[in-house]
Amino acid sequence: MVNQRADVGWQSSKSDSSGVSNSGESSKESSRCSTPVLDTDRTDRLRDKMKRRIESGDHWFSLEFFPPRTASGAVNLISRFDRMGSGGPLFIDVTWHPAGDPGSDKETSSMMIASTAVNYCGLESVLHLTCCNQTKEKITAHLNKAKRLGLKNIMALRGDPIGEDWVEEDGGFNYATDLVKHIRCEFDDYFDICVAGYPTGHPEAESYDNDLRHLKEKVDAGAHFIVTQLFFRAETFLRFVKDCRAIGITCPILPGIFPIQGYHSLRQLVKLSKLEVPEEIMQVIEPIKDNDAAIRSYGIQQAVEMCKVLLASGEVPGLHFYTLNREVATIEVLRQLGLWAEDPRRPLPWAVSAHPKRKVEDVRPIFWASRPKSYIYRTQDWDDFPNGRWGNSSSPAFGELTDYYLFYLKSKSPKEALLQMWGEELMNEGSVYEVFTNYITGQTNPSGHKVMCLPWNDDPLAPETNLLKDELEKVNRRGILTINSQPNINGKPSSDPIVGWGPAGGYVFQKAYLEFFTSSENVTALLQVLKKYEPRVNYHIVNVQGKNITNAHEMQPNAVTWGIFPGREIIQPTVVDPVSFMYWKDEAFALWIEQWAKLYEDESPSRMIIQYIHDNYFLVNLVDNDFPLDSCLWQVIEDMFALLDSPRETQEEGSQL
Amino acid sequence: MVNQRADVGWQSSKSDSSGVSNSGESSKESSRCSTPVLDTDRTDRLRDKMKRRIESGDHWFSLEFFPPRTASGAVNLISRFDRMGSGGPLFIDVTWHPAGDPGSDKETSSMMIASTAVNYCGLESVLHLTCCNQTKEKITAHLNKAKRLGLKNIMALRGDPIGEDWVEEDGGFNYATDLVKHIRCEFDDYFDICVAGYPTGHPEAESYDNDLRHLKEKVDAGAHFIVTQLFFRAETFLRFVKDCRAIGITCPILPGIFPIQGYHSLRQLVKLSKLEVPEEIMQVIEPIKDNDAAIRSYGIQQAVEMCKVLLASGEVPGLHFYTLNREVATIEVLRQLGLWAEDPRRPLPWAVSAHPKRKVEDVRPIFWASRPKSYIYRTQDWDDFPNGRWGNSSSPAFGELTDYYLFYLKSKSPKEALLQMWGEELMNEGSVYEVFTNYITGQTNPSGHKVMCLPWNDDPLAPETNLLKDELEKVNRRGILTINSQPNINGKPSSDPIVGWGPAGGYVFQKAYLEFFTSSENVTALLQVLKKYEPRVNYHIVNVQGKNITNAHEMQPNAVTWGIFPGREIIQPTVVDPVSFMYWKDEAFALWIEQWAKLYEDESPSRMIIQYIHDNYFLVNLVDNDFPLDSCLWQVIEDMFALLDSPRETQEEGSQL
């Protein structure tokens, strides 16, 4: 903690008590800390994160997934990434299946799944890559594509030879070591590299010792850490680590944990990996082999016990889970180990992306709050991301959103489920009001289904929005069709479970925000009412044709969420930006048609009702600037209804519409 | 207020209710509002400011000064700029005296005075320039220099021919019109140009009408507004305006107001300007010509009455005052007219500079809070200024401050006054503590003098610091030699008379800050005490050799002043920046020697006491991050003294010093 200033510059201290380290890439690129450095996990490389965790004695876990077979499987896996990501894995990895066109742009490819995890789910991700039977050109092309997509970590594997007659090629990729060398040679230090370790020796290895030497070669060629094949006894792994250390392997070695989840999956895995299940496990499992629940319960218990031994040994900095793309068993093991983040701290109020290009990003328009993946998609071509102030973004144009079919932008629910939620048949605009109201209240609709999503909100109401539930219900019933809102917050601790975000010891603030569709009749009254609320309330009101009514500066964004933290500059992660609102408006109106109207037949009454709303309603957003006072936005709406309810002659003439 | 979005772009509305216009230069350069736009006066050109004021019916005033004759006169004039600037002039102007080397780098030159007004006092300034007997090259060189220094407005004058035998030169500058044309030709639209009008005709003009035609030519050549010669009757001016309008002069015409301040100055001025003083005025003045107070009082009354008539006419958007470099009469006239800003709103908590390069600047380190001119001086070579976030500044290196002699960096007080305040002879370190304490309390020292300034504070205590007076007194008495401090503020209205700044309707916040010199013994105890206050309190502790002890991130600034305003992004104008602190430290330590030690003889005990403090004391800054709670910084100091007062054995061993 003592920095001595030398004449030539700074001799920086090795560690500082704020827990922020500036090692590696990040210190080079942001020597003046132009980033918020809210979360070093966002700027550090995987190897540095591991180093930091090892130094602090903070155990981590990671999760392995395989690519799905179908498009709907991809949608499910992405949702799983979001859910399991919230538990706080240090990284996830995605396996590589040469037979499944893994480097393609298909939504089920390893490459696209890993890219989605990084870009849209904000997960540090490791892409597997096998080299067996591949040309250097092909491998380099894969790596270039991975780099372009924002992937920073590769698990370098040989992979299984195709066919029986595999022979070593001169100058080809015969071993994972060749791949590690190739990555280092072609991409220098860009990728963090993981290699596989075999606690009982690779099945094809001449001997355990020979296999260890191969592993040493892989590490010496430039690998940063090792993940092991699964095993069933803690001592298997611990002996392996000891042997690795003995021959000079010093990098982190992560045990591959496989919670037994069923009799058949166990048998299959064992067959593929040519492992032997210990007698003591088979003795327990055989008698209950038809009882899935019992086996899973045993598997959890067995994994927890083994992990406890591993962690207690002091040799294990983190655990790597073979999830088989399932959630329950792995999460339960992690919960019991106390490694699952029950109350995950959000570094920012929105889900960050892990693309290296976006690591300084710390401001976004509020409009995409419920559609973060769409926001990331529409800004993927930006060269710079706003940092500190929204206006600093030098690439303000948003990409078109015509690709509603993309698996990470699609509704999670199939058409039938949507019809059940939103109505097989709409009678009138009131039917639509009811759908919105049921979404807010969580009550079932007349056909007995809960409305779990809306075109603008693919998930149930956020806990924060729940704070406004009563008011939202009341206004939606009357045709104020809310799609986004936040309460005002006047300095709650950053650790607040509902509205908190950012580092500990800080305070978060919000201006009340309300965004809704409503009829032009309502807007006419609203505009009259809003005069009374100048300059306290800022508004933007726009219809699908782009007719835009506002009392705000046409270029100046309004910060509506900000946080004050110890020893940092102010962070203002959410703004109401007038320019972005016009891009969002296109998307918000299009969702009526793309996600709702198209559920119904052409020319059907239901479709025409949605089309009418799309063509005639206005999209309105309101900000109450006076954040220390109770929000006045509900009063604004109430005043509007009072005006509409009053006798005609008391209403002023001369609407702007 | 209705913006229609066209396919090709935006058709912006003519005005918006936020009162922010984006006309002219500013809209071109900051189309995405990367500036805070806290104060359009900072980004608009003078002509646009006038236009805005005329449209809103908001009368303004401006102040004319002449360059001083001596260096100490320059120091006084700069102080006058600061004081009179606070009353809210739309601009000031500085006259040009060809005989006085007006374009030189001398501290008394017109060029340097105007540059200082712009750069260091943040005043919109108009530099006079006369062209008579000048070559084009010389004029262009002056204009280039003015532009380089940040001057944006020129008062284009012919000037008085030197000698009697002046004849027109072909292609030379014979009239102000030639100069206006030359400026337009060489500098396009860069400068705003003012020209002189003569309500009674130029003394050398063939006729009044002929003179009016000359004025029309000047305006047609590209002048933006007219300031008139002084006059004594409102109707003189009003007839002149009428005549100007009649021949098609449409630009603003500002009456030159000359409050009579004394018999002799009046006579001299009248002689120079070849004006006639009306009979009714002479009749009043002659009888009291030896009573200065009576004449001034009459002058004020006469000016107020004339100005009232002018303003009431509706023809006068603003008043231009010939101040004769004096304050009292002009301020009194303005007060009586209600034009003097009694409670000036600060756009930012620090005094902004008016150099166009700095118009986006909205963040500064807190260290120079009491030495803003030094800060501006040391950053004058920066190409970019921080905007939104301190770390964004791409030119973080500070210029050396070795030029303590510069008139805008020098103490306002002469050596004798400083010795009276700080002591003709110091007995020990305690004598120094007493000086600091007397500065805080405002009490007289033993020799009967008030301590009005310190080397680090050239002005009496700021009203904000007065809030901390009692605590400051207590700690200074015991050798915590405070040089900078601010109380914590948790959301006071931006209109607060003491701590408010920025546009109306906002809220301002501060973290408590304390900066002081103290002995290494105190620092040892302080460091022990500070452990209890982690991570609430951030500290930086450094001695003159650069030994630096901190618990803060070595690169990350800590925002200590910020504001939230309707419809805007967050502004965080003051930060504690660790890197800048090391530059400030050099200056802060040097001030002991440059401003204090050097008052005494070499080798004298007084000088050696100051030298000892310089060599051995530490400069400490403390931030209490928990701004919603009462500041804990006083408790930190108290704990430190308690530790020092406790028996030796209870003090821990192992100091870091």
Side-chain angles (χ1 to χ4, degrees):
Chain A
M1 269 204 291
V2 176
N3 299 334
Q4 293 283 354
R5 192 189 186 190
D7 276 336
V8 286
W10 292 79
Q11 225 184 318
S12 84
S13 60
K14 268 213 162 152
S15 74
D16 68 48
S17 69
S18 64
V20 181
S21 102
N22 255 55
S23 55
E25 191 184 52
S26 74
S27 73
K28 268 178 260 153
E29 293 192 1
S30 61
S31 61
R32 284 288 295 170
C33 260
S34 66
T35 77
V37 203
L38 264 177
D39 181 8
T40 47
D41 275 0
R42 215 171 143 192
T43 51
D44 274 3
R45 307 180 62 152
L46 182 50
R47 71 183 84 156
D48 297 318
K49 296 183 193 180
M50 288 186 180
K51 193 162 160 260
R52 211 149 27 87
R53 295 277 198 114
I54 291 169
E55 283 168 3
S56 67
D58 211 2
H59 293 136
W60 73 78
F61 68 91
S62 48
L63 304 170
E64 183 164 314
F65 299 92
F66 52 79
R69 276 198 210 92
T70 64
S72 72
V75 172
N76 289 338
L77 184 58
I78 300 312
S79 304
R80 180 159 293 130
F81 284 171
D82 285 339
R83 287 192 300 272
M84 295 191 80
S86 74
L90 187 66
F91 64 91
I92 66 130
D93 59 326
V94 178
T95 60
W96 185 265
H97 297 269
D101 205 357
S104 76
D105 287 342
K106 283 198 301 194
E107 55 200 338
T108 54
S109 79
S110 301
M111 187 72 84
M112 293 321 287
I113 292 294
S115 159
T116 305
V118 166
N119 288 291
Y120 294 94
C121 307
L123 297 171
E124 179 83 55
S125 304
V126 178
L127 177 65
H128 289 219
L129 188 59
T130 63
C131 58
C132 178
N133 296 115
Q134 296 285 317
T135 63
K136 288 201 171 175
E137 290 68 33
K138 188 80 186 163
I139 290 292
T140 302
H142 285 323
L143 289 165
N144 271 322
K145 183 169 184 175
K147 183 177 173 183
R148 206 169 55 243
L149 291 170
L151 291 160
K152 295 170 293 183
N153 316 294
I154 297 291
M155 172 103 166
L157 299 165
R158 189 192 69 179
D160 297 317
I162 297 169
E164 292 295 307
D165 303 325
W166 176 68
V167 287
E168 292 191 15
E169 279 177 71
D170 273 2
F173 291 116
N174 298 311
Y175 298 102
T177 311
D178 301 329
L179 179 54
V180 175
K181 284 180 183 161
H182 179 76
I183 297 173
R184 276 279 161 279
C185 171
E186 295 287 314
F187 293 87
D188 194 19
D189 201 32
Y190 178 79
F191 289 105
D192 278 22
I193 301 176
C194 172
V195 290
Y198 298 87
T200 52
H202 192 278
E204 291 171 22
E206 292 165 32
S207 71
Y208 175 79
D209 285 345
N210 205 16
D211 193 50
L212 271 185
R213 274 192 296 277
H214 277 306
L215 181 58
K216 176 82 160 56
E217 278 170 29
K218 290 196 276 190
V219 174
D220 289 348
H224 297 99
F225 65 103
I226 296 164
V227 163
T228 77
Q229 179 57 289
L230 63 92
F231 53 89
F232 295 100
R233 289 175 180 146
E235 59 264 33
T236 310
F237 178 81
L238 294 173
R239 193 198 58 222
F240 173 70
V241 171
K242 203 175 148 204
D243 294 339
C244 286
R245 301 305 183 215
I247 62 163
I249 296 173
T250 58
C251 69
I253 305 173
L254 312 180
I257 309 297
F258 174 72
I260 299 167
Q261 307 198 42
Y263 187 74
H264 292 289
S265 64
L266 174 65
R267 280 185 68 98
Q268 205 187 350
L269 197 91
V270 161
K271 191 176 139 209
L272 281 172
S273 57
K274 299 180 179 135
L275 290 174
E276 232 172 274
V277 181
E279 194 51 35
E280 71 268 20
I281 292 182
M282 287 315 290
Q283 277 176 2
V284 179
I285 282 185
E286 280 293 345
I288 53 171
K289 69 179 179 186
D290 296 321
N291 184 343
D292 284 355
I295 289 193
R296 197 164 64 191
S297 164
Y298 167 73
I300 289 168
Q301 176 213 327
Q302 190 266 343
V304 167
E305 272 159 28
M306 190 174 78
C307 289
K308 281 183 176 167
V309 175
L310 290 171
L311 294 173
S313 73
E315 301 291 341
V316 175
L319 302 168
H320 186 73
F321 284 83
Y322 294 105
T323 67
L324 304 186
N325 286 18
R326 295 190 208 155
E327 285 171 58
V328 180
T330 299
I331 292 179
E332 184 53 32
V333 171
L334 286 165
R335 284 221 163 97
Q336 292 194 24
L337 292 170
L339 290 178
W340 186 257
E342 294 294 346
D343 180 20
R345 292 199 55 74
R346 302 180 295 170
L348 287 168
W350 32 263
V352 301
S353 170
H355 195 295
K357 208 165 73 160
R358 301 183 87 114
K359 71 183 175 194
V360 300
E361 180 182 24
D362 69 357
V363 195
R364 287 187 188 172
I366 195 171
F367 316 121
W368 283 269
S370 300
R371 291 178 58 77
K373 293 186 175 68
S374 160
Y375 180 76
I376 292 167
Y377 180 75
R378 296 189 68 181
T379 60
Q380 63 186 343
D381 292 332
W382 287 13
D383 294 325
D384 293 304
F385 289 89
N387 166 232
R389 186 167 275 169
W390 174 256
N392 282 345
S393 165
S394 54
S395 317
F398 288 78
E400 291 300 319
L401 185 62
T402 47
D403 304 323
Y404 295 93
Y405 62 87
L406 288 172
F407 67 106
Y408 41 80
L409 299 174
K410 225 161 51 170
S411 172
K412 285 175 218 157
S413 312
K415 181 176 173 177
E416 306 72 48
L418 295 177
L419 281 169
Q420 286 172 347
M421 291 194 270
W422 302 343
E424 302 279 353
E425 211 185 328
L426 304 174
M427 310 310 292
N428 48 38
E429 294 167 61
S431 314
V432 174
Y433 300 180
E434 236 177 84
V435 172
F436 275 81
T437 308
N438 287 329
Y439 173 73
I440 298 291
T441 60
Q443 282 160 3
T444 53
N445 62 19
S447 65
H449 296 95
K450 285 199 178 187
V451 181
M452 304 297 286
C453 64
L454 286 176
W456 307 267
N457 302 276
D458 207 27
D459 290 300
L461 226 51
E464 185 194 36
T465 315
N466 253 310
L467 300 174
L468 309 172
K469 205 166 163 174
D470 294 347
E471 287 91 347
L472 288 170
E473 177 188 348
K474 207 154 58 170
V475 304
N476 274 283
R477 260 187 218 297
R478 297 195 65 178
I480 299 288
L481 306 177
T482 59
I483 60 169
N484 196 354
S485 57
Q486 68 175 22
N488 64 313
I489 302 290
N490 186 15
K492 286 233 182 173
S494 58
S495 56
D496 185 278
I498 295 178
V499 299
W501 54 273
Y507 293 91
V508 299
F509 294 80
Q510 291 180 179
K511 291 179 180 176
Y513 179 76
L514 191 62
E515 183 179 334
F516 53 86
F517 290 100
T518 203
S519 68
S520 70
E521 189 195 6
N522 285 352
V523 165
T524 304
L526 183 63
L527 278 169
Q528 213 170 305
V529 163
L530 280 168
K531 289 177 199 160
K532 275 201 316 184
Y533 291 89
E534 299 259 8
R536 179 169 173 180
V537 175
N538 278 124
Y539 57 86
H540 294 271
I541 302 177
V542 66
N543 68 2
V544 71
Q545 286 89 31
K547 176 170 183 160
N548 183 24
I549 312 162
T550 181
N551 70 341
H553 187 283
E554 68 194 42
M555 293 293 194
Q556 173 80 45
N558 189 349
V560 291
T561 303
W562 63 98
I564 318 296
F565 303 96
R568 295 177 189 280
E569 294 191 81
I570 315 295
I571 316 290
Q572 54 155 28
T574 326
V575 296
V576 169
D577 173 51
V579 179
S580 310
F581 185 60
M582 297 310 279
Y583 291 95
W584 163 247
K585 165 286 272 184
D586 291 338
E587 181 172 336
F589 276 101
L591 286 165
W592 282 108
I593 306 301
E594 294 296 329
Q595 298 224 357
W596 199 335
K598 287 187 176 173
L599 296 176
Y600 309 108
E601 298 282 310
D602 266 10
E603 310 282 327
S604 66
S606 295
R607 183 152 182 170
M608 284 163 70
I609 288 164
I610 300 295
Q611 185 75 49
Y612 176 84
I613 291 178
H614 170 270
D615 294 347
N616 293 284
Y617 274 38
F618 279 76
L619 180 62
V620 178
N621 76 50
L622 304 176
V623 176
D624 178 0
N625 287 299
D626 227 339
F627 63 94
L629 311 181
D630 284 344
S631 165
C632 69
L633 299 183
W634 307 114
Q635 190 60 49
V636 168
I637 305 289
E638 218 164 278
D639 289 359
M640 179 198 85
F641 283 124
L643 181 65
L644 287 166
D645 293 344
S646 66
R648 202 75 196 160
E649 58 270 29
T650 69
Q651 293 179 30
E652 257 181 61
E653 231 190 294
S655 132
Q656 295 183 60
L657 299 179
Chain B
M1 271 202 288
V2 177
N3 298 335
Q4 293 282 353
R5 191 188 186 193
D7 277 336
V8 287
W10 292 80
Q11 224 185 317
S12 83
S13 59
K14 268 212 162 156
S15 75
D16 65 51
S17 68
S18 65
V20 180
S21 102
N22 256 55
S23 55
E25 189 184 54
S26 74
S27 74
K28 267 177 260 155
E29 294 192 1
S30 62
S31 60
R32 284 285 298 166
C33 259
S34 67
T35 77
V37 204
L38 264 176
D39 180 9
T40 47
D41 275 359
R42 216 172 143 191
T43 51
D44 273 2
R45 307 179 61 151
L46 181 51
R47 69 184 84 155
D48 297 318
K49 295 182 195 182
M50 289 185 180
K51 194 163 161 260
R52 209 147 29 85
R53 295 277 198 115
I54 290 169
E55 282 168 3
S56 68
D58 211 2
H59 293 135
W60 74 78
F61 68 92
S62 47
L63 304 170
E64 182 163 314
F65 298 92
F66 52 79
R69 276 197 210 92
T70 63
S72 73
V75 174
N76 289 338
L77 184 58
I78 300 311
S79 303
R80 180 160 293 132
F81 284 172
D82 286 338
R83 286 191 301 272
M84 295 191 82
S86 75
L90 187 65
F91 64 90
I92 67 129
D93 59 326
V94 179
T95 60
W96 186 263
H97 297 271
D101 204 358
S104 75
D105 287 342
K106 282 196 303 194
E107 56 202 334
T108 54
S109 79
S110 301
M111 187 72 83
M112 293 323 287
I113 292 294
S115 159
T116 305
V118 167
N119 288 290
Y120 294 94
C121 307
L123 296 170
E124 180 82 56
S125 305
V126 178
L127 176 65
H128 289 220
L129 187 59
T130 62
C131 59
C132 178
N133 295 118
Q134 296 286 316
T135 63
K136 288 201 170 173
E137 291 67 34
K138 188 80 187 165
I139 290 291
T140 302
H142 285 322
L143 290 165
N144 271 322
K145 183 170 184 174
K147 185 175 173 185
R148 207 169 55 243
L149 291 170
L151 291 159
K152 294 169 294 182
N153 315 293
I154 297 291
M155 173 103 166
L157 300 165
R158 190 193 69 178
D160 297 317
I162 296 169
E164 292 294 306
D165 302 324
W166 176 67
V167 286
E168 292 190 18
E169 281 176 73
D170 271 1
F173 292 118
N174 299 312
Y175 298 101
T177 310
D178 302 327
L179 179 53
V180 174
K181 284 180 184 159
H182 179 75
I183 297 173
R184 275 280 160 279
C185 171
E186 296 286 314
F187 294 86
D188 194 21
D189 202 32
Y190 179 79
F191 289 105
D192 278 23
I193 301 175
C194 172
V195 291
Y198 298 88
T200 52
H202 191 278
E204 293 171 22
E206 292 165 31
S207 70
Y208 175 80
D209 287 343
N210 206 16
D211 194 49
L212 269 185
R213 274 191 296 276
H214 278 306
L215 181 57
K216 176 82 160 57
E217 278 169 28
K218 290 196 276 190
V219 173
D220 289 347
H224 296 100
F225 64 103
I226 296 165
V227 162
T228 76
Q229 179 57 287
L230 63 92
F231 53 89
F232 296 98
R233 290 174 181 149
E235 58 266 33
T236 312
F237 178 81
L238 293 173
R239 193 199 57 225
F240 173 70
V241 171
K242 204 176 149 203
D243 295 337
C244 285
R245 301 305 183 216
I247 62 163
I249 295 173
T250 57
C251 69
I253 306 173
L254 311 180
I257 309 298
F258 175 73
I260 299 168
Q261 306 197 41
Y263 186 75
H264 293 289
S265 63
L266 175 65
R267 279 187 71 96
Q268 202 186 354
L269 197 90
V270 162
K271 191 177 141 211
L272 280 173
S273 56
K274 301 182 178 132
L275 291 173
E276 231 171 275
V277 182
E279 194 53 35
E280 71 269 21
I281 291 180
M282 287 317 289
Q283 278 176 2
V284 180
I285 282 185
E286 282 292 347
I288 53 171
K289 67 179 179 185
D290 297 320
N291 184 342
D292 284 352
I295 290 193
R296 197 164 64 191
S297 163
Y298 167 74
I300 289 168
Q301 175 213 327
Q302 189 267 341
V304 168
E305 272 160 25
M306 190 175 77
C307 289
K308 280 183 177 167
V309 175
L310 291 171
L311 294 173
S313 73
E315 302 291 340
V316 175
L319 304 168
H320 187 74
F321 284 84
Y322 295 106
T323 66
L324 304 186
N325 287 17
R326 295 190 210 157
E327 285 171 57
V328 179
T330 300
I331 293 178
E332 185 52 34
V333 171
L334 286 165
R335 281 220 167 97
Q336 292 194 26
L337 292 170
L339 291 178
W340 187 256
E342 293 295 346
D343 180 19
R345 293 199 55 73
R346 302 181 293 171
L348 287 169
W350 33 262
V352 302
S353 170
H355 195 294
K357 210 166 70 159
R358 300 184 87 116
K359 72 183 173 195
V360 299
E361 180 181 25
D362 70 357
V363 195
R364 288 188 188 173
I366 195 171
F367 316 121
W368 284 269
S370 299
R371 292 179 58 77
K373 293 187 174 69
S374 160
Y375 180 77
I376 292 166
Y377 179 75
R378 297 190 67 182
T379 60
Q380 65 186 343
D381 292 330
W382 288 11
D383 294 324
D384 293 305
F385 289 90
N387 166 233
R389 187 169 273 168
W390 174 255
N392 282 346
S393 164
S394 54
S395 318
F398 288 78
E400 291 299 319
L401 185 63
T402 46
D403 304 323
Y404 296 92
Y405 62 88
L406 288 172
F407 66 104
Y408 40 81
L409 298 174
K410 231 166 39 174
S411 173
K412 285 175 216 156
S413 312
K415 182 176 171 176
E416 307 72 50
L418 295 177
L419 280 169
Q420 286 172 347
M421 290 193 270
W422 302 344
E424 303 278 353
E425 209 184 331
L426 303 174
M427 312 309 292
N428 48 38
E429 293 165 61
S431 314
V432 174
Y433 301 179
E434 236 178 84
V435 173
F436 275 81
T437 309
N438 286 331
Y439 173 73
I440 298 292
T441 60
Q443 283 160 3
T444 54
N445 61 17
S447 65
H449 296 94
K450 285 198 180 189
V451 180
M452 304 299 285
C453 64
L454 287 177
W456 306 268
N457 304 275
D458 208 27
D459 290 301
L461 227 50
E464 185 194 37
T465 315
N466 253 310
L467 300 174
L468 309 172
K469 205 166 163 175
D470 294 346
E471 287 92 346
L472 287 169
E473 178 188 347
K474 206 153 58 170
V475 304
N476 274 282
R477 260 187 217 297
R478 297 196 63 178
I480 298 288
L481 306 176
T482 60
I483 60 169
N484 196 356
S485 57
Q486 69 175 24
N488 63 313
I489 302 291
N490 186 16
K492 287 232 180 172
S494 58
S495 56
D496 184 277
I498 295 178
V499 299
W501 54 272
Y507 293 91
V508 299
F509 293 80
Q510 291 180 181
K511 292 179 180 176
Y513 178 75
L514 192 60
E515 183 180 334
F516 54 86
F517 290 99
T518 203
S519 67
S520 69
E521 190 195 6
N522 285 352
V523 166
T524 303
L526 183 64
L527 278 169
Q528 213 171 302
V529 162
L530 280 167
K531 289 178 198 161
K532 275 201 316 184
Y533 291 88
E534 298 261 4
R536 179 168 173 181
V537 175
N538 278 123
Y539 56 86
H540 294 271
I541 302 177
V542 66
N543 67 2
V544 72
Q545 285 88 32
K547 175 169 183 158
N548 183 24
I549 312 163
T550 181
N551 70 340
H553 186 284
E554 67 193 44
M555 292 292 194
Q556 173 79 47
N558 189 350
V560 292
T561 302
W562 63 99
I564 318 297
F565 303 96
R568 295 178 190 277
E569 295 191 82
I570 314 294
I571 315 291
Q572 54 155 27
T574 327
V575 296
V576 169
D577 173 50
V579 179
S580 310
F581 185 59
M582 297 309 280
Y583 290 96
W584 163 247
K585 168 280 281 184
D586 291 339
E587 181 171 337
F589 275 102
L591 286 166
W592 281 108
I593 305 300
E594 294 297 328
Q595 299 224 357
W596 199 334
K598 287 188 176 171
L599 295 176
Y600 308 109
E601 297 282 309
D602 266 9
E603 311 282 325
S604 67
S606 295
R607 183 150 182 172
M608 283 164 71
I609 288 165
I610 300 295
Q611 185 75 47
Y612 175 84
I613 291 177
H614 170 271
D615 295 348
N616 293 282
Y617 275 37
F618 279 75
L619 181 61
V620 178
N621 76 51
L622 304 176
V623 176
D624 178 1
N625 286 299
D626 227 339
F627 63 94
L629 311 181
D630 284 345
S631 165
C632 69
L633 300 183
W634 307 115
Q635 190 60 48
V636 168
I637 305 290
E638 217 164 278
D639 289 359
M640 180 199 83
F641 282 126
L643 182 64
L644 287 166
D645 292 343
S646 66
R648 200 76 194 158
E649 56 270 28
T650 70
Q651 292 180 31
E652 258 180 59
E653 229 189 294
S655 129
Q656 293 182 61
L657 299 178

